[in-house]
Amino acid sequence: MLARRDRTLAEVLDEMESLGEAMDSVIESFGEAMDIRLFIDQWTHEQDIRGTVGIAGGADSPIVAEASPGMAEGWTRRVARAGLAPLVVELDGETHAADLDGDAPVRLAVDGYEAMRVGLGRRSRNQLAGLQWSGTDDPGPYFEYLVFFSIADRDVPDVR
């Protein structure tokens, strides 16, 4: 971006728009070999920008429906390996759970959008505590197993 530091935001956005069709061709050329993480990363940063400037959108993106179940499954496996009471995730009406033998489970109810924002490190400890938890008085020990990067230092704004 340093090469564009003397340009206005409008000029940079115009340039990005002009390159859209070329980028579409590159993406299409990958076919089935395209890594979904490219789209997850793009969606994540789009939501960061939307939250910062206060423009809603993205909650119904196809990438949310595609990637959020994997996020929930990953959480349940990570919690199981950590030896905590099992985690059951209610994600958009579907239940995701790993080994439920033994202890009563801790439950977390989220929609796909929130699962993506949590898993990709776009939630603070305060925001994580404010999720729909049940089966525990202190969900704090679960937080690090929900976030695949790092927990945000402060609350992250979103506009849905």
Side-chain angles (χ1 to χ4, degrees):
M1 194 70 174
L2 291 177
R4 292 166 181 81
R5 69 177 166 246
D6 295 329
R7 295 186 189 174
T8 67
L9 177 58
E11 290 170 333
V12 172
L13 292 174
D14 285 345
E15 178 185 3
M16 290 172 68
E17 175 122 14
S18 74
L19 297 172
E21 286 185 34
M23 186 63 177
D24 288 346
S25 295
V26 169
I27 290 171
E28 287 174 14
S29 73
F30 281 98
E32 293 297 317
M34 178 55 73
D35 191 327
I36 191 173
R37 290 175 293 187
L38 172 71
F39 301 103
I40 293 170
D41 189 56
Q42 178 276 324
W43 178 87
T44 300
H45 294 294
E46 175 187 344
Q47 298 318 300
D48 294 342
I49 293 167
R50 286 178 176 280
T52 299
V53 299
I55 298 174
D60 60 353
S61 172
I63 200 65
V64 172
E66 179 77 22
S68 61
M71 198 73 67
E73 292 293 331
W75 295 344
T76 64
R77 287 191 304 271
R78 292 175 84 189
V79 165
R81 285 194 301 269
L84 295 171
L87 178 65
V88 173
V89 179
E90 295 293 336
L91 176 75
D92 293 326
E94 291 188 20
T95 301
H96 299 267
D99 181 17
L100 292 179
D101 293 335
D103 296 331
V106 169
R107 295 184 177 275
L108 173 61
V110 293
D111 63 20
Y113 179 92
E114 192 63 23
M116 298 286 288
R117 298 300 279 164
V118 166
L120 296 165
R122 291 340 197 250
R123 293 293 178 257
S124 67
R125 290 187 178 282
N126 180 56
Q127 288 172 304
L128 292 171
L131 296 174
Q132 293 181 353
W133 294 95
S134 61
T136 182
D137 292 331
D138 179 17
Y142 290 82
F143 295 172
E144 69 183 276
Y145 303 103
L146 302 182
V147 180
F148 293 102
F149 296 108
S150 59
I151 297 171
D153 293 333
R154 62 188 99 130
D155 288 357
V156 177
D158 277 318
V159 180
R160 293 177 76 178

Coordinates of all heavy atoms in Angstrom, one line a residue, residues 77-141:
R77 N -13.3 -30.4 19.0 CA -12.1 -31.3 19.0 C -11.0 -30.7 19.9 O -10.4 -31.4 20.7 CB -11.6 -31.5 17.6 CG -12.4 -32.5 16.8 CD -11.8 -32.9 15.5 NE -11.3 -31.8 14.7 CZ -12.1 -31.2 13.8 NH1 -13.3 -31.6 13.5 NH2 -11.6 -30.2 13.1
R78 N -10.8 -29.4 19.8 CA -9.8 -28.7 20.6 C -10.1 -28.8 22.1 O -9.2 -29.0 22.9 CB -9.6 -27.3 20.2 CG -9.0 -27.2 18.8 CD -9.0 -25.7 18.3 NE -7.7 -25.1 18.8 CZ -7.5 -23.8 18.7 NH1 -8.3 -23.0 18.2 NH2 -6.3 -23.4 19.2
V79 N -11.4 -28.6 22.4 CA -11.8 -28.7 23.8 C -11.6 -30.1 24.4 O -11.1 -30.3 25.5 CB -13.2 -28.2 24.0 CG1 -13.8 -28.6 25.4 CG2 -13.3 -26.6 23.8
A80 N -12.0 -31.1 23.5 CA -11.8 -32.5 24.0 C -10.4 -32.8 24.2 O -10.1 -33.5 25.2 CB -12.4 -33.4 22.9
R81 N -9.5 -32.4 23.4 CA -8.0 -32.7 23.6 C -7.5 -32.0 24.8 O -6.6 -32.4 25.4 CB -7.2 -32.2 22.3 CG -7.3 -33.2 21.2 CD -6.3 -32.9 20.1 NE -6.3 -31.5 19.6 CZ -7.1 -31.2 18.5 NH1 -7.8 -32.0 17.8 NH2 -7.0 -29.9 18.1
A82 N -8.1 -30.8 25.2 CA -7.6 -30.1 26.4 C -8.1 -30.7 27.7 O -7.6 -30.3 28.7 CB -8.1 -28.6 26.3
G83 N -9.0 -31.6 27.6 CA -9.5 -32.3 28.8 C -10.5 -31.5 29.6 O -10.8 -31.8 30.7
L84 N -11.1 -30.4 29.0 CA -12.2 -29.7 29.7 C -13.5 -30.5 29.5 O -13.6 -31.4 28.7 CB -12.4 -28.3 29.0 CG -11.2 -27.3 29.2 CD1 -11.4 -26.1 28.3 CD2 -11.0 -26.9 30.6
A85 N -14.5 -30.1 30.3 CA -15.8 -30.7 30.1 C -16.2 -30.5 28.6 O -15.8 -29.5 28.0 CB -16.8 -30.0 31.0
P86 N -16.8 -31.5 28.0 CA -17.1 -31.4 26.5 C -17.9 -30.1 26.2 O -18.7 -29.6 26.9 CB -17.9 -32.6 26.2 CG -18.1 -33.3 27.5 CD -17.4 -32.7 28.6
L87 N -17.6 -29.7 25.0 CA -18.3 -28.5 24.4 C -19.3 -29.0 23.4 O -18.9 -29.7 22.4 CB -17.3 -27.5 23.8 CG -17.9 -26.3 23.2 CD1 -18.6 -25.4 24.2 CD2 -16.8 -25.5 22.4
V88 N -20.5 -28.5 23.5 CA -21.5 -28.7 22.5 C -21.8 -27.4 21.9 O -22.2 -26.4 22.6 CB -22.8 -29.3 23.1 CG1 -23.9 -29.4 22.0 CG2 -22.5 -30.7 23.6
V89 N -21.7 -27.3 20.6 CA -22.0 -26.0 19.9 C -23.3 -26.1 19.1 O -23.4 -27.0 18.3 CB -20.8 -25.6 18.9 CG1 -21.1 -24.3 18.2 CG2 -19.5 -25.6 19.7
E90 N -24.2 -25.3 19.4 CA -25.4 -25.1 18.6 C -25.2 -24.0 17.6 O -25.2 -22.9 18.0 CB -26.6 -24.8 19.5 CG -27.0 -25.9 20.6 CD -27.5 -27.2 19.9 OE1 -28.1 -27.1 18.8 OE2 -27.4 -28.2 20.6
L91 N -25.0 -24.4 16.4 CA -24.7 -23.5 15.3 C -25.8 -23.5 14.3 O -26.1 -24.4 13.6 CB -23.4 -23.9 14.6 CG -22.9 -23.1 13.4 CD1 -22.4 -21.8 13.9 CD2 -21.9 -23.8 12.6
D92 N -26.5 -22.3 14.3 CA -27.6 -22.2 13.3 C -28.6 -23.4 13.4 O -29.0 -23.9 12.3 CB -27.1 -22.0 11.9 CG -26.4 -20.7 11.7 OD1 -26.8 -19.7 12.4 OD2 -25.4 -20.6 10.9
G93 N -28.9 -23.9 14.6 CA -29.8 -24.9 14.7 C -29.2 -26.3 14.6 O -30.0 -27.3 14.8
E94 N -28.0 -26.5 14.3 CA -27.3 -27.8 14.2 C -26.4 -28.0 15.3 O -25.7 -27.1 15.7 CB -26.6 -27.9 12.9 CG -27.5 -28.0 11.6 CD -26.7 -28.3 10.4 OE1 -25.6 -28.8 10.4 OE2 -27.2 -28.0 9.3
T95 N -26.4 -29.2 15.8 CA -25.5 -29.5 17.0 C -24.2 -30.1 16.5 O -24.1 -31.0 15.7 CB -26.2 -30.6 17.9 OG1 -27.5 -30.0 18.3 CG2 -25.4 -30.9 19.1
H96 N -23.1 -29.6 17.1 CA -21.8 -30.1 16.8 C -21.2 -30.5 18.2 O -21.2 -29.7 19.1 CB -20.9 -29.0 16.2 CG -21.5 -28.5 14.9 ND1 -21.0 -29.1 13.7 CD2 -22.4 -27.6 14.6 CE1 -21.7 -28.5 12.7 NE2 -22.5 -27.6 13.2
A97 N -20.7 -31.7 18.3 CA -20.1 -32.1 19.5 C -19.1 -33.2 19.3 O -19.2 -34.0 18.3 CB -21.2 -32.7 20.4
A98 N -18.0 -33.3 20.1 CA -17.0 -34.3 20.0 C -17.5 -35.4 21.1 O -18.6 -35.5 21.4 CB -15.6 -33.8 20.3
D99 N -16.5 -36.0 21.7 CA -16.8 -37.0 22.7 C -17.6 -36.5 23.9 O -17.1 -35.6 24.6 CB -15.4 -37.6 23.2 CG -15.6 -38.7 24.2 OD1 -16.7 -39.3 24.3 OD2 -14.6 -38.9 24.9
L100 N -18.8 -37.0 24.1 CA -19.7 -36.6 25.2 C -19.7 -37.5 26.3 O -20.6 -37.4 27.2 CB -21.1 -36.3 24.6 CG -21.2 -35.2 23.7 CD1 -22.7 -35.0 23.2 CD2 -20.7 -33.9 24.3
D101 N -18.8 -38.5 26.4 CA -18.8 -39.4 27.5 C -18.3 -38.7 28.7 O -17.4 -37.9 28.7 CB -17.9 -40.6 27.2 CG -18.4 -41.5 26.1 OD1 -19.7 -41.5 25.9 OD2 -17.6 -42.2 25.4
G102 N -18.9 -39.0 29.9 CA -18.4 -38.5 31.1 C -19.2 -37.2 31.5 O -20.4 -37.2 31.8
D103 N -18.4 -36.1 31.7 CA -18.9 -34.9 32.2 C -20.1 -34.3 31.4 O -20.2 -34.5 30.2 CB -17.8 -33.8 32.2 CG -16.6 -34.2 33.1 OD1 -16.8 -34.8 34.1 OD2 -15.5 -33.7 32.8
A104 N -20.9 -33.6 32.2 CA -22.0 -32.8 31.5 C -21.4 -31.8 30.6 O -20.4 -31.1 31.0 CB -22.9 -32.2 32.5
P105 N -21.9 -31.6 29.4 CA -21.3 -30.7 28.5 C -21.6 -29.2 28.8 O -22.6 -28.9 29.5 CB -21.9 -31.0 27.2 CG -23.3 -31.6 27.5 CD -23.1 -32.3 28.8
V106 N -20.7 -28.4 28.4 CA -20.9 -26.9 28.3 C -21.4 -26.6 26.9 O -21.0 -27.2 26.0 CB -19.5 -26.2 28.6 CG1 -19.7 -24.7 28.3 CG2 -19.1 -26.4 30.0
R107 N -22.4 -25.7 26.9 CA -23.1 -25.5 25.6 C -22.8 -24.0 25.2 O -22.8 -23.1 26.0 CB -24.6 -25.7 25.7 CG -24.9 -27.2 25.9 CD -26.4 -27.5 25.9 NE -26.6 -28.9 26.0 CZ -26.6 -29.8 25.0 NH1 -26.4 -29.3 23.8 NH2 -26.8 -31.0 25.2
L108 N -22.7 -23.8 23.9 CA -22.5 -22.5 23.3 C -23.4 -22.4 22.1 O -23.3 -23.3 21.2 CB -21.0 -22.3 22.9 CG -20.7 -21.0 22.1 CD1 -21.1 -19.8 22.9 CD2 -19.3 -21.0 21.7
A109 N -24.3 -21.4 22.1 CA -25.2 -21.2 20.9 C -24.7 -20.0 20.2 O -24.6 -18.9 20.8 CB -26.6 -21.1 21.4
V110 N -24.4 -20.2 18.9 CA -24.0 -19.1 18.0 C -24.5 -19.3 16.6 O -24.8 -20.4 16.2 CB -22.4 -18.9 17.9 CG1 -21.8 -18.5 19.2 CG2 -21.8 -20.2 17.4
D111 N -24.6 -18.2 15.9 CA -24.9 -18.3 14.5 C -23.6 -18.4 13.7 O -22.5 -18.2 14.3 CB -25.8 -17.2 14.0 CG -25.2 -15.8 14.1 OD1 -24.0 -15.6 14.1 OD2 -26.0 -14.8 14.0
G112 N -23.6 -18.7 12.4 CA -22.4 -18.8 11.6 C -21.6 -17.6 11.6 O -20.3 -17.7 11.6
Y113 N -22.2 -16.4 11.5 CA -21.4 -15.2 11.4 C -20.6 -15.0 12.7 O -19.4 -14.8 12.6 CB -22.4 -14.0 11.3 CG -21.7 -12.7 11.2 CD1 -21.3 -12.1 10.0 CD2 -21.4 -12.0 12.4 CE1 -20.6 -10.9 10.0 CE2 -20.8 -10.7 12.4 CZ -20.4 -10.2 11.2 OH -19.7 -9.0 11.2
E114 N -21.2 -15.2 13.8 CA -20.5 -15.0 15.1 C -19.4 -16.1 15.3 O -18.4 -15.8 15.7 CB -21.5 -15.1 16.3 CG -20.9 -14.6 17.6 CD -20.5 -13.2 17.6 OE1 -21.0 -12.4 16.8 OE2 -19.6 -12.9 18.4
A115 N -19.7 -17.3 14.8 CA -18.7 -18.4 14.9 C -17.4 -18.0 14.1 O -16.3 -18.1 14.6 CB -19.2 -19.7 14.4
M116 N -17.6 -17.4 12.9 CA -16.5 -17.0 12.1 C -15.7 -15.9 12.8 O -14.5 -15.9 12.8 CB -17.0 -16.5 10.7 CG -17.7 -17.6 9.9 SD -16.5 -18.8 9.3 CE -15.7 -17.8 8.0
R117 N -16.4 -14.9 13.3 CA -15.8 -13.7 14.0 C -15.0 -14.2 15.2 O -13.9 -13.7 15.5 CB -16.8 -12.6 14.3 CG -17.5 -12.1 13.1 CD -16.5 -11.4 12.1 NE -16.2 -10.1 12.6 CZ -15.2 -9.4 12.1 NH1 -14.4 -9.9 11.2 NH2 -14.9 -8.2 12.6
V118 N -15.6 -15.1 16.0 CA -14.9 -15.7 17.2 C -13.7 -16.4 16.8 O -12.6 -16.1 17.2 CB -15.9 -16.6 18.0 CG1 -15.1 -17.4 19.0 CG2 -17.0 -15.8 18.6
G119 N -13.8 -17.4 15.9 CA -12.7 -18.3 15.5 C -11.6 -17.5 14.9 O -10.4 -18.0 15.0
L120 N -11.8 -16.4 14.2 CA -10.8 -15.7 13.5 C -10.2 -14.6 14.4 O -9.5 -13.7 13.8 CB -11.3 -15.3 12.2 CG -11.6 -16.4 11.3 CD1 -12.5 -16.0 10.1 CD2 -10.4 -17.2 10.8
G121 N -10.5 -14.6 15.7 CA -9.8 -13.7 16.6 C -10.4 -12.3 16.6 O -9.8 -11.3 17.0
R122 N -11.7 -12.2 16.2 CA -12.4 -10.8 16.2 C -13.3 -10.6 17.3 O -14.3 -9.9 17.2 CB -13.1 -10.7 14.8 CG -12.3 -10.5 13.6 CD -10.9 -10.1 13.8 NE -10.3 -9.6 12.6 CZ -9.3 -10.3 11.9 NH1 -8.9 -11.4 12.3 NH2 -8.8 -9.7 10.8
R123 N -13.0 -11.2 18.5 CA -13.7 -11.0 19.7 C -12.8 -10.9 20.9 O -11.8 -11.6 21.0 CB -14.7 -12.2 19.9 CG -15.8 -12.3 18.9 CD -16.7 -11.1 19.0 NE -17.8 -11.0 18.0 CZ -17.8 -10.3 16.9 NH1 -16.8 -9.5 16.7 NH2 -18.8 -10.3 16.1
S124 N -13.1 -10.0 21.8 CA -12.4 -9.8 23.0 C -12.8 -10.8 24.1 O -13.9 -11.5 23.9 CB -12.6 -8.4 23.5 OG -13.9 -8.2 23.9
R125 N -12.1 -10.9 25.2 CA -12.6 -11.8 26.3 C -14.0 -11.3 26.8 O -14.8 -12.2 27.1 CB -11.6 -11.7 27.4 CG -10.3 -12.4 27.1 CD -9.4 -12.5 28.3 NE -8.2 -13.2 27.9 CZ -8.1 -14.6 27.8 NH1 -9.1 -15.3 28.0 NH2 -7.0 -15.1 27.4
N126 N -14.2 -10.0 26.8 CA -15.5 -9.5 27.2 C -16.6 -10.0 26.2 O -17.7 -10.4 26.6 CB -15.4 -8.0 27.2 CG -16.7 -7.3 27.6 OD1 -17.3 -7.7 28.7 ND2 -17.3 -6.5 26.8
Q127 N -16.3 -9.9 24.9 CA -17.3 -10.3 23.9 C -17.5 -11.9 24.0 O -18.6 -12.3 23.8 CB -16.9 -9.9 22.5 CG -17.0 -8.4 22.3 CD -16.4 -8.0 21.0 OE1 -15.2 -8.2 20.7 NE2 -17.2 -7.3 20.2
L128 N -16.4 -12.6 24.2 CA -16.6 -14.1 24.3 C -17.4 -14.4 25.5 O -18.3 -15.3 25.5 CB -15.2 -14.7 24.4 CG -14.3 -14.6 23.2 CD1 -12.9 -15.1 23.5 CD2 -14.9 -15.4 22.0
A129 N -17.2 -13.7 26.7 CA -18.0 -14.0 27.9 C -19.5 -13.7 27.6 O -20.4 -14.3 28.2 CB -17.5 -13.2 29.0
G130 N -19.8 -12.7 26.7 CA -21.1 -12.3 26.5 C -21.9 -13.2 25.5 O -23.1 -13.0 25.2
L131 N -21.3 -14.3 25.0 CA -21.9 -15.2 24.1 C -23.0 -16.0 24.9 O -23.0 -16.0 26.1 CB -20.9 -16.1 23.4 CG -19.9 -15.4 22.5 CD1 -18.9 -16.4 22.0 CD2 -20.6 -14.8 21.3
Q132 N -23.8 -16.8 24.2 CA -24.8 -17.6 24.8 C -24.3 -18.9 25.4 O -24.3 -20.0 24.7 CB -26.0 -17.8 23.8 CG -26.7 -16.6 23.5 CD -27.8 -16.9 22.5 OE1 -28.0 -18.0 22.0 NE2 -28.6 -15.9 22.2
W133 N -23.7 -18.9 26.6 CA -23.1 -20.0 27.2 C -24.2 -20.6 28.2 O -24.9 -19.9 28.8 CB -21.9 -19.6 28.1 CG -20.8 -19.1 27.3 CD1 -20.5 -17.8 27.0 CD2 -19.7 -19.9 26.7 NE1 -19.3 -17.8 26.3 CE2 -18.8 -19.1 26.1 CE3 -19.5 -21.3 26.6 CZ2 -17.7 -19.5 25.4 CZ3 -18.4 -21.8 26.0 CH2 -17.5 -20.9 25.4
S134 N -24.1 -21.9 28.4 CA -24.9 -22.6 29.4 C -24.1 -23.8 29.9 O -23.2 -24.3 29.1 CB -26.3 -23.0 28.9 OG -26.2 -23.9 27.9
G135 N -24.4 -24.3 31.1 CA -23.6 -25.4 31.6 C -22.4 -25.1 32.4 O -21.6 -25.9 32.8
T136 N -22.1 -23.8 32.5 CA -20.9 -23.3 33.2 C -21.1 -21.9 33.7 O -21.8 -21.1 33.1 CB -19.6 -23.3 32.4 OG1 -18.5 -22.9 33.2 CG2 -19.7 -22.4 31.2
D137 N -20.6 -21.6 34.9 CA -20.6 -20.3 35.4 C -19.4 -19.4 34.9 O -19.4 -18.2 35.0 CB -20.6 -20.3 37.0 CG -21.9 -20.8 37.5 OD1 -22.9 -20.7 36.9 OD2 -21.8 -21.4 38.6
D138 N -18.4 -20.1 34.4 CA -17.2 -19.5 34.0 C -16.7 -20.1 32.7 O -16.0 -21.1 32.7 CB -16.1 -19.6 35.0 CG -14.8 -18.9 34.6 OD1 -14.8 -18.1 33.6 OD2 -13.7 -19.2 35.2
P139 N -17.1 -19.5 31.5 CA -16.7 -20.0 30.2 C -15.2 -19.7 29.9 O -14.7 -20.1 28.9 CB -17.6 -19.4 29.3 CG -18.0 -18.1 29.9 CD -18.0 -18.4 31.4
G140 N -14.5 -18.9 30.7 CA -13.2 -18.4 30.4 C -12.2 -19.5 30.0 O -11.4 -19.3 29.0
P141 N -12.2 -20.6 30.6 CA -11.2 -21.7 30.2 C -11.4 -22.2 28.8 O -10.5 -22.7 28.2 CB -11.5 -22.8 31.2 CG -12.0 -22.1 32.4 CD -12.8 -21.0 31.9

